[in-house]
């Protein structure tokens, strides 16, 4: 790949000369995976109703090619150092909700498997990944009218 050098400034009059090779969008991203959602509800008569929702995601690959002449790097199952840089092999979310009249009470479970540090291929000694983790979130709601609800969660 050839790049044209562009520079600003003139050393003879004291303005700084800053070489620039320009920019080009030569990276590529190749992803594949499967998403699954299952919803189920049960009417409990006078005791209310229960709703269940299961979300599952399987990430088959998350390959990035930074420069066309270098092989793609697969970041599946890794975590990086920036927001949104986690690429777990799979994720599971289970939402449960019991409601009766205006009252609703729910529990959400989120599971993320262990992930390797995305830089481990460069530095396997000092980089560490993260263990698997399950988050539990509790929530409650009260429906005042058809258009006004109050929701709280922990």
């Amino acid at each position: 790949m050839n790049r044209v050098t562009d520079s600003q400034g003139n050393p003879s009059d004291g303005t700084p000369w800053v070489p620039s090779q320009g920019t080009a969008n030569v990276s590529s991203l190749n992803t594949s995976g499967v998403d699954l959602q299952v919803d189920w509800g049960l009417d409990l008569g006078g005791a209310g109703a229960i709703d269940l929702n299961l979300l599952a995601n399987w990430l088959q690959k998350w390959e990035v090619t930074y420069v066309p002449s270098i092989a793609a790097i697969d970041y599946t199952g890794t975590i990086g150092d920036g927001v949104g840089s986690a690429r777990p092999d799979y994720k599971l979310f289970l939402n449960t909700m019991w409601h009766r009249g205006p009252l609703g009470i729910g529990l959400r479970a989120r599971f993320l498997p262990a992930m390797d540090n995305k830089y481990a291929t460069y530095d396997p000694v000092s980089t560490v990944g993260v263990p698997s983790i399950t988050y539990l979130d509790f929530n409650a709601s009260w429906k005042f009218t058809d258009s006004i609800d109050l929701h709280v969660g922990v």
Side-chain angles (χ1 to χ4, degrees), residues 29-81:
L29 172 63
N30 185 11
T31 66
S32 65
V34 176
D35 295 323
L36 173 71
Q37 178 173 340
V38 178
D39 297 305
W40 181 74
L42 177 64
D43 186 357
L44 302 173
I50 294 178
D51 294 322
L52 298 173
N53 166 257
L54 174 67
L55 301 166
N57 168 267
W58 171 62
L59 181 61
Q60 182 180 8
K61 67 179 171 181
W62 185 280
E63 294 177 338
V64 177
T65 303
Y66 292 103
V67 178
S69 60
I70 298 176
I73 300 171
D74 190 356
Y75 289 115
T76 304
T78 65
I79 188 166
D81 55 356

Side-chain angles (χ1 to χ4, degrees), residues 1-25:
M1 172 188 298
N2 293 327
R3 294 187 181 194
V4 176
T5 300
D6 180 24
S7 60
Q8 301 292 325
N10 183 350
S12 64
D13 68 5
T15 57
W17 182 74
V18 181
S20 170
Q21 293 186 348
T23 59
N25 188 3

Side-chain angles (χ1 to χ4, degrees), residues 57-134:
N57 168 267
W58 171 62
L59 181 61
Q60 182 180 8
K61 67 179 171 181
W62 185 280
E63 294 177 338
V64 177
T65 303
Y66 292 103
V67 178
S69 60
I70 298 176
I73 300 171
D74 190 356
Y75 289 115
T76 304
T78 65
I79 188 166
D81 55 356
V83 174
S85 64
R87 310 278 179 252
D89 296 324
Y90 64 96
K91 298 181 276 191
L92 299 172
F93 298 85
L94 176 64
N95 300 296
T96 61
M97 185 68 157
W98 171 82
H99 47 92
R100 180 175 179 218
L103 176 64
I105 297 175
L107 180 69
R108 171 182 292 157
R110 298 176 287 156
F111 176 79
L112 296 170
M115 290 176 272
D116 295 327
N117 187 300
K118 80 178 217 176
Y119 300 111
T121 56
Y122 310 121
D123 182 11
V125 176
S126 64
T127 56
V128 294
V130 294
S132 63
I133 190 164
T134 300

